[in-house]
Amino acid sequence: MNVFHYHLVTSELRDVEARYLGKLEFHLVARYGRVGDEHVSVDPGTPWEKLDQDGFKLRLSELERGAVNVVIQPGHWRIPRVDHFGVALDEEDFQAVLARAAGWNLRVQEHGGRRTFVSTNAGYRLEIHPPREWIEELLDAREEFRLTELQLRADEPETKAGALADLLGLELSGTSVLIGDTRIRFMPDGPEGRPELFAERFD
């Protein structure tokens, strides 16, 4: 069981993207959006100035380094908030999470057979995956670069951490949950709804 991805929402997308590309040395996978009515995927070599000239409307920016994939989406909040985490599971754990979600009447969304989202009813979602070759390839780079801790500010850290631990069948330690190599820690004094990004630790 491993965290391989998290999805951020922010009004300062270009600044947040620049932080990952510059300070954290991620590479840009692609930017996804629209030009007019056409959905387009833009390669990393295209500068923002050219995209602005073309009338490109961004939907998502995807970045990656080592075993960490980050997606940034335009939204209302200056400080990024987490919409969901991506968690890779073995087949048994994947089915167990779905069974818990069904037993607790949590909303489950399937997207084209490629992605499964589970609501936690705690302001964020989980994107869960059974064994998939492309995730295994990403996780193989853990020795190169991995996420060891994600700290999030929340209005009810105990509730948000408990929802994560319960759904994944993991032990709760205060307001944090260890998922494979990564500790998800919920900090106090955050906003209602989606938790706010406070700090990341990489190894």
Side-chain angles (χ1 to χ4, degrees), residues 1-7 67 69 82 84-91 93-95 97-98 100 114-118 120 124-132 134-136 138-139 142 147 150 163-165 167-170 177-184:
M1 189 179 297
N2 289 281
V3 177
F4 70 92
H5 159 76
Y6 50 105
H7 184 115
N69 177 278
V82 170
H84 64 266
F85 313 105
V87 181
L89 308 162
D90 63 27
E91 186 64 42
D93 286 336
F94 179 76
Q95 295 300 330
V97 171
L98 291 179
R100 291 186 197 101
R114 293 189 66 251
R115 298 190 298 166
T116 302
F117 290 95
V118 181
T120 62
Y124 62 92
R125 301 179 296 164
L126 289 185
E127 178 184 343
I128 58 171
H129 288 267
R132 299 191 192 278
W134 63 271
I135 296 178
E136 290 303 319
L138 181 70
L139 292 175
R142 276 176 288 189
L147 176 69
L150 193 62
L164 181 61
L167 191 52
L168 292 177
L170 296 174
V177 183
L178 184 63
I179 306 172
D181 298 329
T182 304
R183 184 168 297 280
I184 306 295

